[in-house]
Amino acid sequence: MALTMNDVNRFEASRPRLEAIAYRLLGSASEAEDAAQETFLRWQAADVDHIEVPEAWLTKVLTNLCLNQLTSARTRRETYVGQWLPEPLLAGDPMLGPADTAEQRESVSYAVLALLERLSPNERAVYVLREAFDYPHREIAEILDITEAASQQIFHRAKKHVADGKARTEIDEAAARRIVEEFLAAATSGRTEPLVRLLTQDAVAIGDGGGKVPARAKAFEGALAVAKFMRGLFKPGTAKRALVGGSPEIHATTANGDPAIVAVLDGRVIGVMCLQVTAEGIAASRNQVNPDKLERATQRWAAADHGEPLLNAF
Protein backbone atom coordinates (compact mmCIF):
# COMPACT_ATOMS: atom_id res chain seq x y z
CA MET A 1 0.00 0.00 0.00
CA ALA A 2 1.52 3.32 -1.12
CA LEU A 3 2.22 5.90 1.52
CA THR A 4 0.70 9.33 1.26
CA MET A 5 2.87 12.40 1.73
CA ASN A 6 1.23 12.82 5.12
CA ASP A 7 2.34 9.29 6.09
CA VAL A 8 5.91 10.03 4.98
CA ASN A 9 5.94 13.32 6.89
CA ARG A 10 4.62 11.55 9.98
CA PHE A 11 7.55 9.13 9.86
CA GLU A 12 10.11 11.85 9.17
CA ALA A 13 8.87 13.75 12.22
CA SER A 14 9.68 10.64 14.27
CA ARG A 15 13.02 9.86 12.63
CA PRO A 16 15.23 12.00 14.95
CA ARG A 17 13.73 10.33 18.03
CA LEU A 18 14.05 6.87 16.49
CA GLU A 19 17.69 7.47 15.56
CA ALA A 20 18.45 8.76 19.07
CA ILE A 21 16.92 5.63 20.61
CA ALA A 22 18.79 3.36 18.19
CA TYR A 23 22.11 5.12 18.86
CA ARG A 24 21.81 4.54 22.60
CA LEU A 25 20.91 0.91 21.98
CA LEU A 26 23.63 0.18 19.42
CA GLY A 27 26.43 2.65 20.21
CA SER A 28 26.81 3.32 16.48
CA ALA A 29 25.47 6.28 14.52
CA SER A 30 25.66 4.50 11.16
CA GLU A 31 23.82 1.44 12.52
CA ALA A 32 21.24 3.73 14.15
CA GLU A 33 20.57 5.37 10.79
CA ASP A 34 20.23 1.94 9.17
CA ALA A 35 17.79 0.78 11.88
CA ALA A 36 15.65 3.90 11.41
CA GLN A 37 15.64 3.41 7.64
CA GLU A 38 14.63 -0.25 8.01
CA THR A 39 11.82 0.93 10.29
CA PHE A 40 10.68 3.26 7.50
CA LEU A 41 10.60 0.33 5.06
CA ARG A 42 8.40 -1.59 7.52
CA TRP A 43 6.19 1.49 7.82
CA GLN A 44 6.01 1.70 4.05
CA ALA A 45 4.86 -1.93 3.83
CA ALA A 46 2.29 -1.64 6.62
CA ASP A 47 -1.37 -0.72 6.44
CA VAL A 48 -0.77 2.56 8.23
CA ASP A 49 -4.45 3.53 8.27
CA HIS A 50 -5.05 0.76 10.78
CA ILE A 51 -2.15 1.71 13.08
CA GLU A 52 -3.82 3.48 16.01
CA VAL A 53 -0.68 4.98 17.64
CA PRO A 54 2.04 5.41 14.99
CA GLU A 55 4.71 6.56 17.47
CA ALA A 56 4.28 3.43 19.58
CA TRP A 57 4.24 1.19 16.50
CA LEU A 58 7.42 2.75 15.11
CA THR A 59 9.20 2.54 18.46
CA LYS A 60 8.29 -1.13 18.83
CA VAL A 61 9.54 -1.99 15.34
CA LEU A 62 12.78 -0.03 15.78
CA THR A 63 13.49 -1.43 19.24
CA ASN A 64 13.02 -5.02 18.10
CA LEU A 65 15.27 -4.44 15.09
CA CYS A 66 17.93 -3.12 17.46
CA LEU A 67 17.49 -6.04 19.86
CA ASN A 68 18.10 -8.46 16.99
CA GLN A 69 21.17 -6.49 15.99
CA LEU A 70 22.52 -6.38 19.54
CA THR A 71 22.42 -10.16 19.73
CA SER A 72 24.54 -10.50 16.59
CA ALA A 73 26.75 -7.56 17.61
CA ARG A 74 27.82 -9.42 20.74
CA THR A 75 29.16 -12.22 18.57
CA ARG A 76 30.98 -9.74 16.29
CA ARG A 77 32.56 -7.94 19.22
CA GLU A 78 34.07 -11.17 20.50
CA THR A 79 36.32 -11.09 17.42
CA TYR A 80 36.78 -7.29 17.40
CA VAL A 81 40.43 -6.26 17.33
CA GLY A 82 41.32 -4.56 20.63
CA GLN A 83 38.95 -2.56 22.81
CA TRP A 84 35.46 -1.70 21.52
CA LEU A 85 34.13 1.80 22.18
CA PRO A 86 30.96 3.52 20.92
CA GLU A 87 30.97 5.96 18.04
CA PRO A 88 31.34 9.50 19.50
CA LEU A 89 28.82 12.24 18.75
CA LEU A 90 30.10 15.80 18.79
CA ALA A 91 28.31 18.73 20.42
CA GLY A 92 25.06 19.66 18.69
CA ASP A 93 24.54 16.35 16.92
CA PRO A 94 20.75 15.74 16.79
CA MET A 95 21.31 12.03 17.41
CA LEU A 96 22.26 12.90 20.99
CA GLY A 97 18.52 13.17 21.56
CA PRO A 98 16.73 14.81 24.48
CA ALA A 99 18.89 16.62 27.02
CA ASP A 100 16.35 18.31 29.28
CA THR A 101 17.17 16.32 32.41
CA ALA A 102 20.37 15.12 34.05
CA GLU A 103 19.26 11.53 33.45
CA GLN A 104 18.80 12.14 29.73
CA ARG A 105 22.18 13.84 29.39
CA GLU A 106 23.90 11.11 31.36
CA SER A 107 22.28 8.31 29.35
CA VAL A 108 24.22 9.31 26.25
CA SER A 109 27.56 9.99 27.95
CA TYR A 110 30.47 7.93 26.69
CA ALA A 111 30.92 6.41 30.14
CA VAL A 112 27.32 5.19 30.37
CA LEU A 113 27.28 3.92 26.76
CA ALA A 114 30.35 1.84 27.59
CA LEU A 115 28.63 0.52 30.72
CA LEU A 116 25.51 -0.40 28.75
CA GLU A 117 27.63 -2.97 26.92
CA ARG A 118 27.50 -5.05 30.11
CA LEU A 119 23.72 -5.31 30.03
CA SER A 120 21.60 -7.87 28.25
CA PRO A 121 19.74 -6.54 25.17
CA ASN A 122 16.44 -6.41 27.12
CA GLU A 123 18.06 -4.60 30.06
CA ARG A 124 19.59 -2.09 27.69
CA ALA A 125 16.29 -1.46 25.92
CA VAL A 126 14.33 -0.97 29.15
CA TYR A 127 17.01 1.33 30.57
CA VAL A 128 17.20 3.49 27.43
CA LEU A 129 13.44 3.79 26.92
CA ARG A 130 12.78 4.60 30.57
CA GLU A 131 15.81 6.69 31.56
CA ALA A 132 16.47 8.58 28.34
CA PHE A 133 12.99 8.87 26.83
CA ASP A 134 10.75 8.64 29.89
CA TYR A 135 8.51 5.91 28.49
CA PRO A 136 6.11 4.56 31.15
CA HIS A 137 6.64 0.91 32.05
CA ARG A 138 3.23 0.07 30.58
CA GLU A 139 4.39 1.18 27.12
CA ILE A 140 7.81 -0.44 27.50
CA ALA A 141 6.07 -3.70 28.38
CA GLU A 142 4.02 -3.48 25.18
CA ILE A 143 7.09 -2.67 23.08
CA LEU A 144 9.08 -5.63 24.44
CA ASP A 145 6.16 -8.04 24.91
CA ILE A 146 6.78 -8.43 28.63
CA THR A 147 4.70 -7.61 31.70
CA GLU A 148 4.74 -4.20 33.32
CA ALA A 149 6.13 -5.74 36.50
CA ALA A 150 8.94 -7.37 34.53
CA SER A 151 9.79 -4.03 32.93
CA GLN A 152 10.05 -2.39 36.35
CA GLN A 153 12.23 -5.20 37.66
CA ILE A 154 14.52 -5.14 34.64
CA PHE A 155 14.87 -1.35 34.90
CA HIS A 156 15.88 -1.42 38.56
CA ARG A 157 18.42 -4.16 37.84
CA ALA A 158 19.84 -2.31 34.83
CA LYS A 159 20.00 1.01 36.67
CA LYS A 160 21.91 -0.62 39.52
CA HIS A 161 24.45 -2.12 37.09
CA VAL A 162 24.99 1.27 35.47
CA ALA A 163 25.10 3.17 38.78
CA ASP A 164 27.70 0.76 40.18
CA GLY A 165 30.15 1.76 37.48
CA LYS A 166 29.74 5.50 37.12
CA ALA A 167 30.40 8.63 39.12
CA ARG A 168 30.18 11.29 36.42
CA THR A 169 30.04 15.00 37.24
CA GLU A 170 27.91 17.24 35.03
CA ILE A 171 29.71 20.29 33.67
CA ASP A 172 28.85 23.01 31.17
CA GLU A 173 30.69 23.74 27.92
CA ALA A 174 32.86 26.49 29.43
CA ALA A 175 34.00 24.20 32.23
CA ALA A 176 34.60 21.40 29.72
CA ARG A 177 36.90 23.65 27.72
CA ARG A 178 38.85 24.63 30.85
CA ILE A 179 39.28 20.97 31.75
CA VAL A 180 40.56 20.13 28.27
CA GLU A 181 42.96 23.08 28.30
CA GLU A 182 44.32 22.09 31.71
CA PHE A 183 44.64 18.47 30.63
CA LEU A 184 46.50 19.39 27.44
CA ALA A 185 48.82 21.75 29.31
CA ALA A 186 49.73 18.91 31.66
CA ALA A 187 50.03 16.33 28.85
CA THR A 188 52.39 18.53 26.82
CA SER A 189 54.51 19.65 29.80
CA GLY A 190 56.89 16.73 29.36
CA ARG A 191 56.33 15.64 32.96
CA THR A 192 54.00 13.09 34.50
CA GLU A 193 53.37 14.88 37.82
CA PRO A 194 50.95 17.53 36.49
CA LEU A 195 48.87 14.81 34.84
CA VAL A 196 48.86 12.57 37.90
CA ARG A 197 47.40 15.44 39.90
CA LEU A 198 44.48 15.72 37.45
CA LEU A 199 43.69 12.00 37.46
CA THR A 200 41.97 9.79 39.98
CA GLN A 201 44.11 7.05 41.50
CA ASP A 202 42.23 4.35 39.59
CA ALA A 203 42.07 6.25 36.28
CA VAL A 204 42.00 4.27 33.04
CA ALA A 205 42.83 5.05 29.41
CA ILE A 206 41.12 2.99 26.70
CA GLY A 207 41.65 3.22 22.95
CA ASP A 208 39.66 1.82 20.01
CA GLY A 209 41.56 1.50 16.75
CA GLY A 210 39.49 -1.35 15.37
CA GLY A 211 42.66 -2.97 14.00
CA LYS A 212 43.00 -0.10 11.51
CA VAL A 213 44.91 2.39 13.66
CA PRO A 214 47.42 1.39 16.35
CA ALA A 215 45.76 1.27 19.77
CA ARG A 216 46.74 -0.72 22.83
CA ALA A 217 44.60 -3.84 23.19
CA LYS A 218 44.59 -3.56 26.99
CA ALA A 219 43.59 -0.46 28.95
CA PHE A 220 46.17 1.55 30.89
CA GLU A 221 45.22 1.42 34.56
CA GLY A 222 46.22 3.71 37.41
CA ALA A 223 47.10 7.41 37.44
CA LEU A 224 50.83 6.93 36.84
CA ALA A 225 50.38 4.52 33.93
CA VAL A 226 47.79 6.79 32.28
CA ALA A 227 49.98 9.87 32.84
CA LYS A 228 53.00 8.19 31.23
CA PHE A 229 50.86 7.12 28.27
CA MET A 230 49.48 10.62 27.77
CA ARG A 231 52.90 12.21 28.07
CA GLY A 232 54.15 9.89 25.35
CA LEU A 233 51.05 10.37 23.20
CA PHE A 234 51.48 14.14 23.01
CA LYS A 235 55.27 14.11 22.71
CA PRO A 236 56.33 15.39 19.26
CA GLY A 237 57.94 12.89 16.92
CA THR A 238 58.56 12.39 13.21
CA ALA A 239 57.33 8.79 13.40
CA LYS A 240 53.92 9.96 14.68
CA ARG A 241 53.63 12.59 11.97
CA ALA A 242 54.48 9.99 9.35
CA LEU A 243 51.91 7.57 10.82
CA VAL A 244 48.98 10.00 10.65
CA GLY A 245 50.19 11.91 7.60
CA GLY A 246 50.96 15.25 9.20
CA SER A 247 50.58 17.35 12.32
CA PRO A 248 46.92 17.32 13.44
CA GLU A 249 45.18 20.31 14.94
CA ILE A 250 43.93 19.77 18.49
CA HIS A 251 40.61 21.34 19.51
CA ALA A 252 38.51 21.39 22.68
CA THR A 253 34.82 20.56 22.47
CA THR A 254 32.32 18.16 23.99
CA ALA A 255 31.35 14.71 22.75
CA ASN A 256 28.38 12.86 24.20
CA GLY A 257 28.22 15.65 26.77
CA ASP A 258 31.76 14.99 28.07
CA PRO A 259 34.84 17.21 27.73
CA ALA A 260 36.55 16.06 24.56
CA ILE A 261 39.76 16.55 22.63
CA VAL A 262 39.35 16.37 18.86
CA ALA A 263 42.30 15.80 16.52
CA VAL A 264 41.71 17.10 12.99
CA LEU A 265 43.98 16.63 9.98
CA ASP A 266 43.14 18.28 6.64
CA GLY A 267 39.53 18.70 7.73
CA ARG A 268 39.17 15.05 8.76
CA VAL A 269 38.60 14.03 12.38
CA ILE A 270 41.22 11.37 13.14
CA GLY A 271 40.63 11.04 16.88
CA VAL A 272 38.17 11.93 19.63
CA MET A 273 39.26 11.62 23.27
CA CYS A 274 36.41 11.78 25.79
CA LEU A 275 37.28 12.59 29.40
CA GLN A 276 35.11 11.23 32.21
CA VAL A 277 35.16 13.80 35.00
CA THR A 278 34.28 12.96 38.60
CA ALA A 279 34.44 14.92 41.83
CA GLU A 280 37.86 13.36 42.47
CA GLY A 281 39.34 14.14 39.05
CA ILE A 282 39.52 12.65 35.57
CA ALA A 283 38.58 8.99 35.97
CA ALA A 284 38.81 7.81 32.39
CA SER A 285 40.05 8.73 28.94
CA ARG A 286 38.25 6.91 26.13
CA ASN A 287 39.95 7.46 22.80
CA GLN A 288 38.21 6.70 19.50
CA VAL A 289 40.63 6.50 16.57
CA ASN A 290 38.92 3.85 14.41
CA PRO A 291 38.31 5.77 11.14
CA ASP A 292 35.08 3.84 10.52
CA LYS A 293 33.63 5.37 13.68
CA LEU A 294 34.70 8.94 12.92
CA GLU A 295 32.93 9.59 9.61
CA ARG A 296 29.91 11.27 11.21
CA ALA A 297 32.19 13.32 13.47
CA THR A 298 34.04 14.55 10.38
CA GLN A 299 30.77 15.54 8.71
CA ARG A 300 29.59 17.39 11.80
CA TRP A 301 32.97 19.07 12.20
CA ALA A 302 32.93 20.38 8.65
CA ALA A 303 29.49 21.91 9.16
CA ALA A 304 30.55 24.31 11.94
CA ASP A 305 33.27 26.83 12.73
CA HIS A 306 35.48 25.71 15.61
CA GLY A 307 37.95 28.59 15.72
CA GLU A 308 41.69 28.29 16.17
CA PRO A 309 43.13 25.02 17.48
CA LEU A 310 44.60 24.89 20.97
CA LEU A 311 47.78 23.38 19.56
CA ASN A 312 49.26 21.30 16.77
CA ALA A 313 50.17 17.81 17.90
CA PHE A 314 53.38 15.94 17.19
Side-chain angles (χ1 to χ4, degrees), residues 126-143:
V126 171
Y127 180 87
V128 166
L129 291 171
R130 179 65 184 157
E131 192 81 343
F133 294 89
D134 202 28
Y135 277 81
H137 285 290
R138 175 181 51 77
E139 291 185 25
I140 296 173
E142 292 172 358
I143 289 169

Side-chain angles (χ1 to χ4, degrees), residues 91-265:
D93 193 314
M95 202 176 282
L96 288 168
D100 298 328
T101 67
E103 289 79 14
Q104 289 173 334
R105 292 188 292 274
E106 188 170 63
S107 72
V108 78
S109 72
Y110 225 46
V112 167
L113 287 178
L115 287 168
L116 291 181
E117 287 295 303
R118 303 177 185 177
L119 304 183
S120 70
N122 256 22
E123 286 175 334
R124 189 163 182 162
V126 171
Y127 180 87
V128 166
L129 291 171
R130 179 65 184 157
E131 192 81 343
F133 294 89
D134 202 28
Y135 277 81
H137 285 290
R138 175 181 51 77
E139 291 185 25
I140 296 173
E142 292 172 358
I143 289 169
L144 298 176
D145 292 322
I146 58 177
T147 67
E148 188 171 345
S151 176
Q152 292 170 338
Q153 187 177 30
I154 291 170
F155 175 70
H156 290 306
R157 186 167 65 240
K159 192 166 184 177
K160 184 179 186 303
H161 286 323
V162 174
D164 285 346
K166 67 176 175 63
R168 180 174 171 268
T169 298
E170 273 207 277
I171 51 177
D172 60 24
E173 286 193 23
R177 183 178 180 86
R178 289 195 299 271
I179 288 167
V180 169
E181 289 175 345
E182 190 175 2
F183 181 85
L184 285 174
T188 56
S189 69
R191 298 180 296 121
T192 58
E193 293 83 0
L195 271 169
V196 170
R197 286 196 293 270
L198 295 178
L199 301 167
T200 62
Q201 277 193 321
D202 59 351
V204 296
I206 304 167
D208 178 352
K212 300 187 176 185
V213 173
R216 181 181 165 97
K218 187 178 179 182
F220 290 92
E221 298 180 355
L224 185 58
V226 173
K228 287 181 177 179
F229 164 65
M230 291 298 171
R231 184 186 66 184
L233 181 65
F234 287 96
K235 185 178 181 180
T238 54
K240 293 177 187 174
R241 287 193 292 273
L243 180 65
V244 301
S247 182
E249 297 178 340
I250 303 299
H251 293 260
T253 185
T254 60
N256 295 74
D258 294 321
I261 298 165
V262 178
V264 183
L265 183 65

